[in-house]
Amino acid sequence: VFSLKTNGTAFTTLHHFPELLGASETNSQGAKPVSSLVIAGDTLFGVAVIGGNLGFGTVFTLKTNGTGFATLRQFNGTTDGFYPRALILSGNRLYGTASTILFAMNTDGSGFTNLASFVAPGRGTPYGPIALSGDRIFDVSAMKCTPPCTITLAGVSGASHGSCRLAPREAATQG
């Protein structure tokens, strides 16, 4: 993680992630941050696609001056997904994608919620930057979704996702 003035001067390394250990590609903080950082005041948030205690990636935070690095979430590769790719911020909630889910969590690391699951065949994988407008989250899928299919959401109004219809959890059906 680095900072740079807009005129190209004052390059500063804010954080260097530790080396990955062995074939399991683990470490305590994550590795290969892949998404844009999000900022709230003097605090940055981001995702590292691999590494962490189990090797499935992390959500991290640090101050804009490089202090206060902390790992907010270690992905376990099962119930909370793996290989996070994108992150956005709304108020004190972070929204992000991992290879099998769309998630939300508080900026202090608490309140992790799996908002949508993409594990059924034909539903694709959330991929790339995500956008939030009102109560809708937008993303692209790495695979074409073949209708009919429904992706389960919790706490987010139905929205279209590629050629898929996202339905609130209480109305979800198997696709």
Side-chain angles (χ1 to χ4, degrees), residues 2 7 11-12 22-23 45-46 52 57 64 68 76 84 86 88-89 91 96 106 124 134-135 145 151 175:
F2 67 90
N7 67 5
F11 180 92
T12 305
F45 300 91
T64 55
N76 65 23
I88 58 172
L89 175 69
N106 296 324
D135 66 349
C145 176
I151 299 170

Side-chain angles (χ1 to χ4, degrees), residues 29-57:
Q29 298 179 359
K32 296 185 181 179
V34 294
S35 74
S36 298
L37 297 170
V38 295
I39 188 167
D42 67 345
T43 304
L44 300 167
F45 300 91
V47 295
V49 72
I50 61 174
N53 292 337
L54 298 171
F56 296 112

Side-chain angles (χ1 to χ4, degrees), residues 50-175:
I50 61 174
N53 292 337
L54 298 171
F56 296 112
T58 64
V59 176
F60 64 87
T61 184
L62 74 153
K63 298 291 186 187
T64 55
N65 66 6
T67 64
F69 182 92
T71 302
L72 297 176
R73 185 74 183 182
Q74 304 261 356
F75 287 87
N76 65 23
T78 56
T79 57
D80 66 358
F82 53 94
Y83 310 141
R85 295 191 177 271
L87 198 65
I88 58 172
L89 175 69
S90 178
N92 70 340
R93 289 291 276 174
L94 295 165
Y95 296 88
T97 60
S99 289
T100 57
I101 67 166
L102 185 125
F103 66 88
M105 62 188 282
N106 296 324
T107 55
D108 65 2
S110 67
F112 185 90
T113 304
N114 180 341
L115 295 177
S117 176
F118 294 82
V119 295
R123 291 190 179 164
T125 299
Y127 193 86
I130 55 179
L132 178 67
S133 178
D135 66 349
R136 298 205 181 233
I137 297 170
F138 299 89
D139 193 11
V140 294
S141 177
M143 294 173 43
K144 182 179 178 188
C145 176
T146 306
C149 67
T150 301
I151 299 170
T152 303
L153 283 178
V156 178
S157 296
S160 63
H161 185 288
S163 58
C164 295
R165 168 101 175 110
L166 301 183
R169 182 173 301 240
E170 59 274 5
T173 60
Q174 297 295 325

